[in-house]
């Protein structure tokens, strides 16, 4: 199988993450009432619809509209555009980092889109494992967490020594 060009890989991952996120949010907006709970796997996996005007777990929702716009819309947009530029421009990024950062960009754009179009982010998933539980989140949040997890995992993988690589050239 031929290797997928990096630009194509980045775009596929980013657009797939945005698409899956927006489809699930649309279904949630159309089919679930606010604060309705639908048990998917007992009380362990629950669907419910909330609109989050803040960031993670509602942080920042009490900020003034100007500060909320700057911190939750402008700054994240600049960061996502910067990451996308970095992914497309620089070639010395590991494959794992390319995938990880593409997941983060896709998830980030999914939530930014919601803030621009709806003024809030639609969240719908809640997990309760008895010993631990989550806040209510969405697939964009999952994308960002997967990307972050991949970056953390990569830190524990053996590194090729730069000296050995440059000595063999």
């Amino acid at each position: 199988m031929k290797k997928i060009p990096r630009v194509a890989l980045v775009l596929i991952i980013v657009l797939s993450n945005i698409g899956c996120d927006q489809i699930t949010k649309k279904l949630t907006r159309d089919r679930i009432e606010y604060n309705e709970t639908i048990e998917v796997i007992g009380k362990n996996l629950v669907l419910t619809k909330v609109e989050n005007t803040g960031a993670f777990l509602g942080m920042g929702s009490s900020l003034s509209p100007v500060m909320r716009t700057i911190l939750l819309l402008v700054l994240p947009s600049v960061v996502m555009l910067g990451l996308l530029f970095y992914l497309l421009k620089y070639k010395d990024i590991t494959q794992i980092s390319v995938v990880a950062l593409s997941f983060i960009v896709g998830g980030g754009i999914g939530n930014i889109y919601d803030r621009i179009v709806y003024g809030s982010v639609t969240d719908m998933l809640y997990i309760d494992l008895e010993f631990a539980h989550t806040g209510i989140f969405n697939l964009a949040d999952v994308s960002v967490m997967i990307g972050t997890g991949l970056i953390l995992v990569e830190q524990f993988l053996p590194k090729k020594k730069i000296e050995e690589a440059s000595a063999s050239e």
Side-chain angles (χ1 to χ4, degrees), residues 24 27-50 123-128 136:
T24 58
L27 289 169
T28 299
R29 281 188 222 100
D30 292 349
R31 298 183 182 188
I32 301 175
E33 296 299 320
Y34 286 101
N35 297 314
E36 175 184 359
T37 57
I38 300 169
E39 293 182 0
V40 178
I41 303 175
K43 294 186 187 289
N44 300 110
L45 176 62
V46 175
L47 294 178
T48 187
K49 177 170 68 172
V50 298
D123 290 329
M124 79 289 291
L125 298 166
Y126 174 77
I127 297 173
D128 186 347
I136 302 170

Side-chain angles (χ1 to χ4, degrees), residues 119-140:
S120 63
V121 174
T122 302
D123 290 329
M124 79 289 291
L125 298 166
Y126 174 77
I127 297 173
D128 186 347
L129 302 175
E130 302 292 327
F131 60 89
H133 63 87
T134 66
I136 302 170
F137 61 97
N138 59 47
L139 287 188

